[in-house]
Amino acid sequence: MSDQISNTTVAQGAMQMFLEEYCAVGIQALLFDTDDEVMSLHIDMHELLEFNHELAMLLLESPSKFLPLFNIACLAAQRSLKQQTTVSDSICTVKEDAQVRVTHLPNHPTLQRTRIPGSEDVGRLLSISGTVIRTGLVKMMETHRVYSCTKCRGVFSVNAEVEQYNYIPKPVRCLVPGPDFCNSTAFVPADSAEDSQRCVDYQEIKIQEQVGRLTLGTIPRAIVVVLERDLVDKAKSGDSVT
């Protein structure tokens, strides 16, 4: 079963089943929000563990791979639920940019942290608690850029690298997926500005370990956290966050 669920297609199907079974109310809130105030869907990790333990473990171990799949599954679940409704499109709309947020990680020392994570934790999904000591200005970030290949006429996108301060590397060859390999190095930005790039709000905040949870004499460490989309402007200096 583990070999099957690690397949992206199988995993995405299982994610959609989970969302439709456990998060139907949240999906309805997304569909019927007309002011774009609801742009995220919260999933409970305990419920995901109950639904499919292997899928939950894959999400904890490889969030960079499986969280985007959850976003795609959320989009599919919205479309599926919308087909079952009879209301007009002006009232019920699919939110293309809805983000899945994971909450309530199991209360285990490997997942719930009071200390700032180290290099050994890179790439894992963790929950850390701290105090906000600084908030930055809200800025605009380009999430990806879309190119059109002049040889095969295909379209592909290049995502921004958050670790490289949102830098979007210039592609060195055509990245259009498919059975026919295209080794072209000639491509141009997509025709329209709306298609060629997508921007979102982002904000950097700095959180510090809570002194009351540290042993006597320990100097609290701090870490910069990047907030995106609907998480922007949700915290201010002095707030205790998780």
Side-chain angles (χ1 to χ4, degrees), residues 24-44:
V25 175
I27 295 174
Q28 288 180 349
L30 280 172
L31 290 172
F32 289 97
D33 176 55
T34 57
D35 299 324
D36 289 339
E37 293 182 356
V38 181
M39 292 301 294
S40 60
L41 179 66
H42 294 184
I43 63 172
D44 191 313

Side-chain angles (χ1 to χ4, degrees), residues 11 18 29-30 35 40 42 49 84 91 107-109 133 148 192 225:
F18 167 76
L30 280 172
D35 299 324
S40 60
H42 294 184
L49 283 166
Q84 303 174 26
I91 299 177
N107 188 17
H108 191 274
I133 59 174
S148 175
S192 67
V225 178

Side-chain angles (χ1 to χ4, degrees), residues 143-239:
T143 59
H144 67 272
R145 195 171 296 162
V146 181
Y147 292 91
S148 175
C149 178
T150 58
K151 180 179 179 180
C152 67
R153 303 297 179 183
V155 176
F156 62 93
S157 64
V158 180
N159 294 326
E161 298 180 356
V162 179
E163 295 83 359
Q164 300 297 327
Y165 302 97
N166 306 321
Y167 171 71
I168 300 180
K170 184 178 179 180
V172 296
R173 66 171 182 84
C174 177
L175 300 176
V176 175
D180 299 328
F181 177 76
C182 177
N183 59 355
S184 173
T185 59
F187 28 78
V188 295
D191 294 335
S192 67
E194 182 178 353
D195 293 334
S196 64
Q197 61 183 11
R198 178 64 64 84
C199 297
V200 298
D201 291 335
Y202 88 101
Q203 179 186 31
E204 292 185 358
I205 66 172
K206 195 171 188 178
I207 64 174
Q208 181 179 271
E209 296 169 340
Q210 295 173 332
V211 179
R213 296 189 177 187
L214 302 178
T215 56
L216 186 63
T218 302
I219 299 176
R221 296 178 297 178
I223 189 173
V224 175
V225 178
V226 178
L227 306 179
E228 296 180 9
R229 297 179 171 86
D230 57 321
L231 296 181
V232 166
D233 265 349
K234 297 298 184 184
K236 62 181 183 296
S237 296
D239 288 349

